[in-house]
Amino acid sequence: MKLTRQQIEEFERDGYLFFPGLFKPEEIKVLTDEVPRLYAQRRPENVREKGSEAVRTNFAAHMYSYPYAKLARHPRMIEPVQQIFGDELYMHQFKINGKMAFDGDVWQWHQDYGTWKNDDLMPEARAMNVAIFLDEVTEFNGPLMFIPGSHKLGVIDAAHDTATTSYPLWTIDHDTIAKLVARGGIVAPKGSAGSMIMFHSCLVHASTSNLSPWNRVSVYLSLCAVSNHIRRFKRPEYIAHRDFTPIKCLPDDCLLKDYGVDLPWKDGTPEAALKPAIAA
Ligand code: SIN
Ligand code: MN
């Protein structure tokens, strides 16, 4: 999938692109059908919500789940990012965020590159998030919110919040957010299951809790230019990957047909991937 010049200009201006209904319902079903099995597993890759059994984030499914291993090589997700960076890509992070009905907690205002720089020593903001919706996203189930244009400000000061939710995050203070919103406003792309969002790693984003009776499961690929690989292995490998092998795309029909892919963690995560490789 190739971006047009107009799409590239829009991405440069706003910091994100939205592709409503990019994946067909039968492609999404292959992914959705696998989620209960993944979320039921007792493995460290499943981070649960504070005070609840609901899964907040499942990490690294592409290492142990066949449909997600294929998604991690999907040309509709990989090629536009290769085009923007003009480089090969590796998978820095892979997650399936639950934001489950009633239980899904907030994601505070943040930039992803802030974390990747602070924790992982990623040299530059040459990494991109690509999200696909596995459920319809509406105003009720905690859509992702962006401040358009905020990616142009580079890395904004952030504080490490280890208390608000079950997952530690470098978050931006409310005064700064109020100023940014006064300039850029807030958008929340909404649409059917199968819609895709690509967003800059410096784009400021957040989402509210999900008080609705509808799940909001979304998959996030964080794709990094190979030459921009992380320099510090402070976080476990299932959160910040250390294999910088370039991703080779599968054909466009890969979710609906069989293709051979490796599942190196299918019998469990190796000990070494569960721990920091250096002292934290
Ligand atoms: C994220 O920022 O990584 C996740 C936000 C969300 O799923 O709402
Ligand atoms: Mn984020």
Side-chain angles (χ1 to χ4, degrees):
M1 191 173 94
K2 218 167 159 50
L3 301 174
T4 62
R5 250 199 46 196
Q6 196 188 336
Q7 284 174 313
I8 294 175
E9 280 167 18
E10 192 182 322
F11 173 78
E12 282 169 358
R13 186 192 63 216
D14 298 336
Y16 74 96
L17 286 174
F18 184 45
F19 305 86
L22 186 71
F23 286 81
K24 294 192 287 273
E26 55 269 35
E27 294 178 305
I28 293 303
K29 185 176 183 315
V30 173
L31 302 169
T32 310
D33 285 352
E34 175 81 340
V35 172
R37 191 185 74 82
L38 290 173
Y39 279 7
Q41 291 181 31
R42 290 282 149 191
R43 54 191 301 162
E45 288 92 335
N46 276 333
V47 176
R48 288 164 204 280
E49 299 284 9
K50 213 174 182 175
S52 142
E53 278 295 291
V55 170
R56 174 176 180 79
T57 307
N58 164 277
F59 284 103
H62 66 305
M63 301 294 278
Y64 47 89
S65 156
Y66 178 56
Y68 288 97
K70 293 194 293 183
L71 184 72
R73 296 160 174 84
H74 203 295
R76 271 174 257 161
M77 303 194 84
I78 307 293
E79 283 175 0
V81 184
Q82 277 174 340
Q83 186 186 348
I84 297 261
F85 291 145
D87 199 346
E88 297 188 294
L89 306 173
Y90 78 92
M91 190 67 66
H92 171 61
Q93 190 173 80
F94 187 103
K95 52 191 201 282
I96 310 171
N97 282 1
K99 186 79 78 172
M100 302 307 273
F102 301 112
D103 281 324
D105 204 352
V106 301
W107 288 87
Q108 313 91 305
W109 286 106
H110 69 283
Q111 294 171 303
D112 285 356
Y113 181 62
T115 299
W116 301 339
K117 181 179 156 75
N118 281 313
D119 286 349
D120 309 324
L121 293 186
M122 184 185 284
E124 287 174 44
R126 293 184 71 234
M128 184 91 73
N129 280 311
V130 191
I132 59 170
F133 302 169
L134 298 196
D135 293 302
E136 184 182 6
V137 174
T138 69
E139 63 269 49
F140 305 115
N141 60 357
L144 198 53
M145 302 186 288
F146 296 134
I147 305 178
S150 55
H151 64 298
K152 293 187 184 153
L153 301 169
V155 179
I156 298 166
D157 279 348
H160 205 207
D161 180 350
T162 56
T164 303
T165 74
S166 61
Y167 188 72
L169 200 65
W170 289 87
T171 62
I172 301 172
D173 71 71
H174 292 171
D175 280 353
T176 306
I177 294 299
K179 287 189 192 115
L180 295 180
V181 171
R183 258 182 33 153
I186 298 179
V187 295
K190 294 175 280 283
S192 60
S195 300
M196 181 173 104
I197 308 177
M198 186 175 110
F199 63 100
H200 194 286
S201 57
C202 288
L203 192 69
V204 177
H205 60 286
S207 62
T208 60
S209 63
N210 183 4
L211 289 178
S212 84
W214 302 294
N215 295 338
R216 196 227 65 183
V217 180
S218 302
V219 189
Y220 294 80
L221 276 61
S222 301
L223 299 160
C224 185
V226 167
S227 58
N228 191 48
H229 68 79
I230 62 168
R231 304 300 201 252
R232 180 166 64 186
F233 303 160
K234 174 179 150 179
R235 299 196 292 171
E237 189 175 353
Y238 67 86
I239 298 181
H241 289 281
R242 303 166 196 161
D243 178 356
F244 311 133
T245 311
I247 295 169
K248 282 205 187 71
C249 286
L250 291 171
D252 192 73
D253 62 2
C254 62
L255 290 173
L256 300 176
K257 289 198 182 150
D258 273 340
Y259 290 96
V261 284
D262 266 359
L263 297 174
W265 297 0
K266 69 176 183 317
D267 299 320
T269 315
E271 266 307 292
L274 296 174
K275 299 185 295 223
I278 54 138

